[in-house]
Amino acid sequence: MLEIKNFYAGYGQSQVLHGVTGVVQPGEIVALLGRNGSGRSTLAKAIMGLVDWQGTLRWQGQSLQGKQTCDIAYLGIGYVPESRDVFPTLTVEQNLLLGQKSHHKNSRWTLQDMYQMFPRLHERQHTAAGVLSGGEQQMLTLCRTLMGDPELMLIDEPTEGLAPKLVELVGGYLQALKARGIAVLLIEQKLTIALTVSDRVLVMGRGSIVFDGTPAQLRANPSVRQEWLEV
Ligand SMILES: Nc1ncnc2c1ncn2[C@@H]1O[C@H](COP(=O)(O)OP(=O)(O)OP(=O)(O)O)[C@@H](O)[C@H]1O
Ligand SMILES: [Mg+2]
């Protein structure tokens, strides 16, 4: 379980998160929604130790205070940032293999699983990642992180800028994670996909959580949607 309590974070003098509180239970998909600039990416970066923070942040009962990003990844939290970074000169397959952790002998994911979810990556397995389209690079980043066999994935706007067909594939990927019991904190702009795949929804407004409930509860709550989500 990931536990966030009275969590503050920002960039130098500029405080972005003001007392965020929330949890992600094992195997649960939690959508983190909010308008542009509300602080969703900052929360993901702070969890990964990429932004300074104060407060309580615990993963499987252990405090993440003072931990390096690579240690946090080794503890089982995978992170797919907004920027799609692949190793451009390496092939698709080499990128995927780099995502594996050497101490994980029995990862629950294989190359074949990745190729099944995204056949396009199979077709391009021997192609240099740098020449893939933006959407293909996004799929590769999602898969490379998954090859590290995380218990929890933080995924920042995976469908941004993708064609509808690819959005559908990413939806399938999220369902596959759910089927194998991986917990997900999903930052999304598209309300439909977020409400379809998630068990619970957090809405962030101006650096704190203004709604915590089920997709059905959010659907039934137009005032939250109006005040914090619609533009
Ligand atoms: N590296 C940075 N240095 C200073 N301020 C930043 C930095 N990154 C983000 N911010 C500021 O922090 C606030 C929250 O940004 P954040 O990226 O967390 O928002 P978000 O909810 O992910 O929105 P979106 O991804 O749609 O832009 C914004 O006001 C943004 O300008
Ligand atoms: Mg963001």
Side-chain angles (χ1 to χ4, degrees):
M1 173 167 96
L2 182 76
E3 247 184 297
I4 305 160
K5 224 167 30 201
N6 293 322
F7 192 81
Y8 291 78
Y11 307 90
Q13 292 300 311
S14 118
Q15 191 87 299
V16 174
L17 302 181
H18 310 277
V20 170
T21 293
V23 299
V24 182
Q25 304 282 355
E28 185 182 40
I29 299 195
V30 177
L32 178 60
L33 305 176
R35 290 210 182 94
N36 290 339
S38 57
R40 297 160 303 152
S41 297
T42 301
L43 179 60
K45 286 187 266 185
I47 293 168
M48 292 311 292
L50 296 166
V51 170
D52 291 338
W53 56 268
Q54 291 87 47
T56 302
L57 177 62
R58 265 197 269 271
W59 166 240
Q60 296 175 338
Q62 182 181 359
S63 172
L64 295 182
Q65 183 83 61
K67 293 247 186 299
Q68 305 274 328
T69 304
C70 55
D71 299 328
I72 295 168
Y74 266 82
L75 289 172
I77 305 183
Y79 173 48
V80 183
E82 282 170 297
S83 56
R84 307 157 178 195
D85 33 31
V86 298
F87 298 99
T89 60
L90 301 181
T91 66
V92 165
E93 191 144 306
Q94 287 167 335
N95 268 272
L96 290 173
L97 292 173
L98 269 180
Q100 285 179 329
K101 296 199 189 96
S102 48
H103 71 287
H104 274 220
K105 291 279 179 295
N106 300 307
S107 169
R108 73 197 104 178
W109 304 98
T110 63
L111 283 175
Q112 287 325 309
D113 292 322
M114 304 302 130
Y115 293 152
Q116 209 167 3
M117 284 189 283
F118 297 115
R120 187 69 183 147
L121 293 181
H122 193 202
E123 288 163 27
R124 313 211 79 186
Q125 58 182 318
H126 302 304
T127 304
V131 307
L132 300 181
S133 72
E136 291 165 350
Q137 291 191 11
Q138 179 70 327
M139 296 184 245
L140 182 54
T141 314
L142 287 167
C143 288
R144 193 184 61 213
T145 305
L146 197 52
M147 290 295 283
D149 204 16
E151 294 291 334
L152 167 67
M153 290 268 281
L154 311 178
I155 312 181
D156 200 344
E157 303 218 25
T159 65
E160 216 213 331
L162 294 190
K165 192 108 209 158
L166 292 187
V167 173
E168 225 171 89
L169 284 181
V170 171
Y173 170 95
L174 294 167
Q175 300 289 5
L177 264 59
K178 188 172 182 151
R180 295 208 195 175
I182 315 290
V184 178
L185 184 64
L186 172 69
I187 299 174
E188 250 302 336
Q189 204 68 257
K190 296 185 180 66
L191 208 56
T192 21
I193 187 166
L195 295 183
T196 313
V197 301
S198 66
D199 301 301
R200 207 151 48 75
V201 182
L202 301 175
V203 177
M204 187 172 279
R206 293 195 214 103
S208 58
I209 301 299
V210 294
F211 173 90
D212 181 342
T214 63
Q217 285 165 339
L218 183 61
R219 278 201 190 90
N221 194 330
S223 64
V224 165
R225 292 205 310 273
Q226 232 163 7
E227 190 170 355
W228 301 107
L229 295 174
E230 282 155 21
V231 277

